[in-house]
Amino acid sequence: MMRLLLLVLLLALAMWFGPLVLAQPGYVRIVVAGYTLEMTLVGLLSCLLLVMLLSWLVLRLLRFVWLLPSRSWRFWQWRRRQKAEQAFQQGLRAFARQQWQDAAALLQQSLQHHQHQQEKQMLAGYAAFYAGQKQQAEQLVQALPESDANTWFVKADLLIQQGRAAEAAQLLQPRMEQQSTACGLGQLYLYSLQQAEQWQSLLEQVPTALKQRWFSKSQWAVQRYQIYPKAISSLVQQGQFSEQADYWQQLPGKERKSVAAAIGRAWAKANQGQTEQAERLLVNTLALADVELAWPYLRQIPLGNSVLQLRKQVQHWLRDHAANGYLYAVLSWLAAQEGELEQARLAWKKALQYQPELATFGSP
């Protein structure tokens, strides 16, 4: 509304002053250095307006020319970023499809732009490693910042995948002393010790893992079985296990009394020919809820003919849990220990009927 009023006002002024100016245009005389310039007032105003317009156009042109290099540079930077982002996206897709050669090349190309540089280097390092370009992978990993925990994780992980778990454990040890709260590094550290078969060092790290909560409660329930059975049995075979040792006594009582630890001790006793003691230990500690997690390690214990008590216990559980395939798997294992191969075969068939995933372990 205000604009309309202003427009009407301007039109009214033009209608009023227009005839007056045309009737009496007036004139302006300018004398400079012997030169005389005469023109009407309207002509002078028109010239001034034209000069101002030309000056503005010249300034715009000069500004455009002045900023042209920077604009060109920004354009090429934008093009470079676009190509890098496109290569990163395509590299991620190739990485997901496990097309390592393509992923390594594309992720290497994506490094031309600094955005997400560290993540790109990590993925490019893994892709190059899986593609067999170990020298390039090492260069990419070495370029990662030393202060980042992810750098140590990638270095150790690649060492483990090359079968150099002991070097990975040695690499992570000082880092874990400085940054024991890093859950990802802690988990990898325990895994490296396990792969390197450094069982005593592994047991020594358990209190730190529990205190710093490297694993959730459900994860640790599974992790126990990946640590204690093999660690205890191996230390016993090496003559280095003692329940009075510092590395054992420093464990929480719940850990020392766990079913996973009992399976490790039973495994060791059975390998030493103490099959009756091994069976008694299993009967006293093994519970129905533990059978599923314990099965991969339980089936490796050579009990021989000392299976009567354990078999009775499993048969008792089956009365109320007839659809539990893991119980039939245990019965199959116990029958095989006594040489009753037909009974073992029938029990294993029953186990696969209820728990088909047991086929991944193979028959006892």
Side-chain angles (χ1 to χ4, degrees), residues 151-161 164-165 168-169 171-172 185 188 192:
T151 301
W152 295 84
F153 185 97
V154 174
K155 289 181 178 180
D157 187 29
L158 292 181
L159 285 174
I160 292 173
Q161 294 190 51
R164 298 156 62 185
L171 176 70
L172 291 175
L185 279 184
L188 190 65
S192 66

Side-chain angles (χ1 to χ4, degrees), residues 230-286:
K230 187 63 176 178
I232 296 173
S233 60
S234 296
L235 288 172
V236 169
Q237 292 175 5
Q238 297 170 11
Q240 299 177 0
F241 181 78
S242 172
E243 294 190 22
Q244 306 305 319
D246 292 339
Y247 64 81
W248 185 255
Q249 288 298 318
Q250 70 182 355
L251 293 175
K254 183 179 180 181
E255 298 300 313
R256 297 197 303 269
K257 297 176 182 177
S258 66
V259 176
I263 288 177
R265 291 161 58 200
W267 193 346
K269 290 180 182 295
N271 278 286
Q272 292 177 333
Q274 304 175 21
T275 55
E276 294 182 4
Q277 294 88 330
E279 183 196 19
R280 190 179 307 114
L281 181 59
L282 291 175
V283 170
N284 293 335
T285 58
L286 188 63

Side-chain angles (χ1 to χ4, degrees), residues 44-76:
L44 178 62
L45 293 175
S46 300
C47 289
L48 289 175
L49 183 62
L50 181 61
V51 170
M52 291 174 62
L53 180 60
L54 290 175
S55 300
W56 179 79
L57 290 175
V58 170
L59 289 175
R60 291 281 296 180
L61 179 60
L62 291 175
R63 184 173 181 272
F64 176 79
V65 173
W66 178 264
L67 296 177
L68 186 60
S70 62
R71 288 180 177 177
S72 300
W73 173 254
R74 285 199 299 270
F75 172 76
W76 289 115

Side-chain angles (χ1 to χ4, degrees), residues 74 79 86 161 163 182 261 282 301 310 320 332 361:
R74 285 199 299 270
R79 286 288 299 164
Q86 185 178 6
Q161 294 190 51
L282 291 175
I301 301 177
L310 190 55
D320 299 323
S332 175
F361 297 107

Side-chain angles (χ1 to χ4, degrees), residues 119 166 217 261:
E119 290 77 8
K217 187 176 181 180

Side-chain angles (χ1 to χ4, degrees), residues 182-192 214-216 219 223:
C183 296
L185 279 184
Q187 293 177 12
L188 190 65
Y189 183 41
L190 289 187
Y191 182 72
S192 66
W214 291 350
F215 299 88
S216 65
Q219 288 176 327
Q223 195 67 25

